[in-house]
């Protein structure tokens, strides 16, 4: 009964993302061409505390294991570098 009511509520709320997706604030985009060559960075911040929201695949929950999010993540996972002194570069596979 409760699950059925939650199911109905989910479908009545038309602005919710699909299952497995979420709206995520992303401050910067890395734009590449069709061959994968870097073109530019795009600033998508609205102000100091907000950024444009994009519909992306649901984030990977991580504790200590290395697991990157699909097509988005923080700079430590994208570039293999962190200003916090983390040693992310040793995990690069290229």
């Amino acid at each position: 009964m409760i699950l059925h009511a939650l199911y109905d509520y989910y479908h009545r709320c038309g602005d919710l993302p699909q299952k497995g997706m979420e709206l995520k604030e992303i401050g910067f985009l890395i734009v590449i061409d069709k061959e994968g060559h870097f073109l530019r960075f795009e600033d998508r911040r609205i102000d100091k505390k907000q950024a444009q929201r994009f519909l992306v695949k649901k984030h990977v929950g991580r504790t200590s294991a290395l697991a990157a999010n699909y097509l988005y993540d923080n700079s430590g996972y994208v570039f293999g570098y962190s200003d916090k002194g983390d040693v992310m570069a040793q995990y690069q596979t290229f």
Side-chain angles (χ1 to χ4, degrees):
M1 183 78 161
I2 294 173
L3 289 176
H4 184 67
L6 287 172
Y7 175 84
D8 290 340
Y9 177 71
Y10 176 81
H11 287 287
R12 282 195 310 267
C13 297
D15 59 344
L16 294 175
Q18 297 175 356
K19 185 178 179 180
M21 304 293 281
E22 69 177 324
L23 287 171
K24 189 89 168 164
E25 287 188 9
I26 299 177
F28 292 93
L29 299 179
I30 301 170
V31 182
I32 58 175
D33 62 13
K34 290 182 180 182
E35 289 79 34
H37 298 104
F38 173 81
L39 294 177
R40 66 184 175 278
F41 288 109
E42 285 188 10
D43 186 357
R44 295 303 180 109
R45 296 176 295 178
I46 296 168
D47 56 29
K48 288 187 176 186
K49 294 187 178 186
Q50 289 183 327
Q52 185 176 352
R53 293 172 59 166
F54 292 91
L55 185 64
V56 295
K57 188 175 176 187
K58 199 159 191 87
H59 74 279
V60 175
R62 51 186 174 230
T63 55
S64 62
L66 287 175
N69 289 306
Y70 184 69
L71 296 179
Y72 74 97
D73 217 317
N74 62 41
S75 62
Y77 279 85
V78 174
F79 299 116
Y81 173 79
S82 175
D83 60 353
K84 297 180 178 124
D86 296 346
V87 189
M88 296 295 292
Q90 70 183 4
Y91 298 110
Q92 290 181 352
T93 58
F94 356 62

